[in-house]
Amino acid sequence: MKKNEAVTTEDILIKLCNSVTDVLGAASGLDINYSPMVQRIHKTSLKPDLGCFVLFDGAFSGLVVINFTAAAAMEVYQSYLMSMGIPQEELATQHTSDEVGNVMGELMNQILGDFTGKVSQQLQTSISQSQPKMLTLNKQVLISVDTNLDRPQARRVSFYTTRNNIFYLELAMDKTEFIQLHDFQPEVVDPDAILAGNSQPAAQSESKSGDSSEQDDLLASLGL
């Protein structure tokens, strides 16, 4: 980045997309890619089969949503746990399983942790994130998630797995620009280091019941 060169919404979106590919690729061993074309959208929403959202705040505010198809979620989930040495016969076989939601929610948390780390180090600022909320949606229901943004901008990007299963990332954030005033040397975030701090899968028996109850409460508050 050159002095006085502005960092825009699209630049921040690229950082987020790279966090998705880096973290999911390192966790699962899959080849994760995203489309070079980004879509301007008017609002973000959760869609079937598995949707997750995270709010962030700080230097700028926004919302990240990832909507997985059942096939994409199962491919990432199974590849992630099998790479940790868990036999395939011990894995969940349906995307509606609490275990799948817990694991995908943990991966979402790692993605946002990598993203916020890169933003903090490369843009010399700070943002914080909420706990990811993962919802299993087995019917065609769109849930719009509102955020209090002064000048909102929303984007959608398509991602593809090794088996060409698709999932979508949506970002809504304040319209903002960062302009570099003087030279500095940003540090490099290592996604493997983030994964190393989460060596155990998130789907443990105690967390299952708690996360399931939290999901039920959220769905009830949304009238579903």
Side-chain angles (χ1 to χ4, degrees):
M1 178 177 171
K2 299 178 180 179
K3 189 184 297 185
N4 297 325
E5 182 179 351
V7 175
T8 65
T9 300
E10 279 67 32
D11 295 316
I12 293 173
L13 177 61
I14 289 174
K15 295 180 188 301
L16 179 57
C17 289
N18 288 337
S19 289
V20 173
T21 58
D22 291 347
V23 171
L24 289 187
S28 65
L30 297 174
D31 186 17
I32 307 292
N33 295 289
Y34 61 90
S35 170
M37 301 298 294
V38 59
Q39 181 181 3
R40 293 177 184 266
I41 56 178
H42 297 293
K43 63 180 181 179
T44 58
S45 58
L46 297 170
K47 303 178 179 67
D49 295 302
L50 202 65
C52 184
F53 68 92
V54 174
L55 297 168
F56 58 86
D57 199 7
F60 53 90
S61 299
L63 167 72
V64 176
V65 173
I66 297 186
N67 293 310
F68 289 92
T69 61
M74 292 303 295
E75 181 182 357
V76 173
Y77 157 77
Q78 292 180 344
S79 297
Y80 174 41
L81 294 191
M82 288 174 65
S83 71
M84 296 170 61
I86 299 177
Q88 185 171 6
E89 57 268 20
E90 296 183 11
L91 302 180
T93 58
Q94 299 293 329
H95 75 280
T96 53
S97 168
D98 287 343
E99 181 177 329
V100 175
N102 291 339
V103 169
M104 297 305 291
E106 174 56 35
L107 289 175
M108 181 72 165
N109 193 43
Q110 294 174 14
I111 289 169
L112 267 293
D114 183 75
F115 169 67
T116 56
K118 287 176 178 176
V119 167
S120 298
Q121 294 171 349
Q122 296 178 8
L123 300 182
Q124 297 294 290
T125 188
S126 177
I127 58 174
S128 59
Q129 68 178 79
S130 67
Q131 186 67 22
K133 306 296 183 183
M134 182 69 70
L135 297 175
T136 302
L137 305 173
N138 54 16
K139 55 183 178 181
Q140 294 294 320
V141 177
L142 299 182
I143 305 176
S144 295
V145 183
D146 296 327
T147 53
N148 296 321
L149 303 178
D150 294 330
R151 294 182 297 166
Q153 292 186 315
R155 305 287 188 267
R156 179 187 291 129
V157 180
S158 301
F159 284 76
Y160 304 90
T161 67
T162 300
R163 300 175 189 167
N164 284 325
N165 291 315
I166 193 168
F167 63 94
Y168 301 92
L169 178 143
E170 297 182 3
L171 169 68
M173 60 174 287
D174 283 322
K175 180 178 175 62
T176 187
E177 289 185 351
F178 288 87
I179 301 174
Q180 181 175 333
L181 298 179
H182 59 81
D183 293 333
F184 64 92
Q185 186 63 40
E187 299 180 12
V188 178
V189 176
D190 183 5
D192 290 333
I194 295 177
L195 291 170
N198 297 275
S199 58
Q200 296 298 323
Q204 302 297 332
S205 59
E206 291 184 2
S207 64
K208 282 183 182 180
S209 59
D211 290 349
S212 178
S213 176
E214 185 178 358
Q215 174 173 312
D216 292 341
D217 292 342
L218 181 57
L219 286 171
S221 68
L222 293 168
L224 298 179

